[in-house]
Amino acid sequence: ESEANFRKVLNEKERTIGSNNPDTYLTMNHLGVLLKKMNKMNESEELLSKAYNGLNSLLGANHQSTSEAAYNYAIICVQLGKRRKAARLFKQAHDGFVLTLSNDHQQ
């Protein structure tokens, strides 16, 4: 039921705000995580890759949403044996989180 609901939301966002929109990519990221938990690894990887690449393109590598997507994508890469790609993604996620937290906590 959760998968069906996420798919409905994703389809509606693609229809109303377009597929190249941060909110659409965030929903795609959440659906990818859900699919990973359901052991639908190939579909999960495809969605997480698309979400990460879209957010990276729109928001930049150091945005918190991009860092979260990079982390989620890295986890699926580890599980699929793509360790070099995972290491690169984990580093990007780490660097983005450090920068985000440093900027948010300087006040």
Side-chain angles (χ1 to χ4, degrees), residues 10 13-14 17-29:
L10 180 58
K13 284 188 178 185
E14 287 175 334
I17 61 176
S19 59
N20 194 33
N21 183 288
D23 287 337
T24 304
Y25 289 125
L26 290 172
T27 301
M28 198 176 292
N29 184 56

Side-chain angles (χ1 to χ4, degrees), residues 37-70:
K37 290 179 182 180
M38 297 170 66
N39 289 318
K40 296 182 178 184
M41 300 305 209
N42 291 331
E43 192 174 1
S44 172
E45 180 190 21
E46 183 180 330
L47 285 172
L48 291 172
S49 171
K50 190 172 180 180
Y52 160 72
N53 287 315
L55 289 167
N56 192 39
S57 175
L58 290 175
L59 303 177
N62 293 321
H63 192 278
Q64 183 174 346
S65 294
T66 306
S67 298
E68 290 171 9

Side-chain angles (χ1 to χ4, degrees), residues 2-12 31 35 43:
S2 294
E3 179 184 354
N5 288 336
F6 265 113
R7 288 188 187 281
K8 285 179 189 175
V9 171
L10 180 58
N11 288 334
E12 187 63 20
L31 177 57
L35 292 172
E43 192 174 1

Side-chain angles (χ1 to χ4, degrees), residues 41 99 104 107:
M41 300 305 209
L99 183 63
D104 287 348
Q107 301 169 6

Side-chain angles (χ1 to χ4, degrees), residues 70-89:
Y71 179 81
N72 290 331
Y73 185 25
I75 290 172
I76 193 77
C77 286
V78 167
Q79 293 176 328
L80 294 173
K82 299 177 180 183
R83 300 201 187 286
R84 286 182 194 249
K85 182 182 275 189
R88 180 181 56 80
L89 290 163

